[in-house]
Amino acid sequence: MNTTMRSRKRSTNISLDAALVDEAKMLNINLSAALNSALEDVVRAERQARWRQENKAAIDAMNKFTAEHIIPGSSAALRVFK
């Protein structure tokens, strides 16, 4: 998700490995930015997984239809939905 769309920030308490936090600080890593970015990645992946699960029947039906109606000489690999 685009971080520029999210202007509001919320303070939160989290628990992290102390040694990892110390090393990140030593390396001048912005913890808030790094954690926000990582959380965006996890949220995006979870949304994609849920969408695929919610639409599994339709995807399977489309793949079956495509497999049954392949045009001779065409590449079947180009018509498989995932």
Side-chain angles (χ1 to χ4, degrees), residues 12-68:
T12 185
N13 293 323
I14 57 172
S15 297
L16 300 170
D17 181 279
L20 189 58
V21 171
D22 291 344
E23 186 171 3
K25 286 183 179 183
M26 185 176 62
L27 295 169
N28 295 319
I29 294 172
N30 179 324
L31 289 178
S32 293
L35 294 172
N36 197 74
S37 178
L39 186 56
E40 284 178 345
D41 293 344
V42 170
V43 167
R44 183 181 309 106
E46 182 61 25
R47 282 184 180 161
Q48 290 172 350
R50 288 182 185 206
W51 184 91
R52 279 191 299 276
Q53 184 60 36
E54 291 168 0
N55 292 283
K56 185 177 184 338
I59 292 167
D60 291 345
M62 182 56 84
N63 285 335
K64 181 180 180 206
F65 175 86
T66 302
E68 293 171 353

Side-chain angles (χ1 to χ4, degrees), residues 1-22:
M1 185 157 285
N2 189 347
T3 56
T4 58
M5 293 176 61
R6 297 179 184 229
S7 58
R8 291 182 347 150
K9 300 212 178 210
R10 178 183 297 168
S11 293
T12 185
N13 293 323
I14 57 172
S15 297
L16 300 170
D17 181 279
L20 189 58
V21 171
D22 291 344

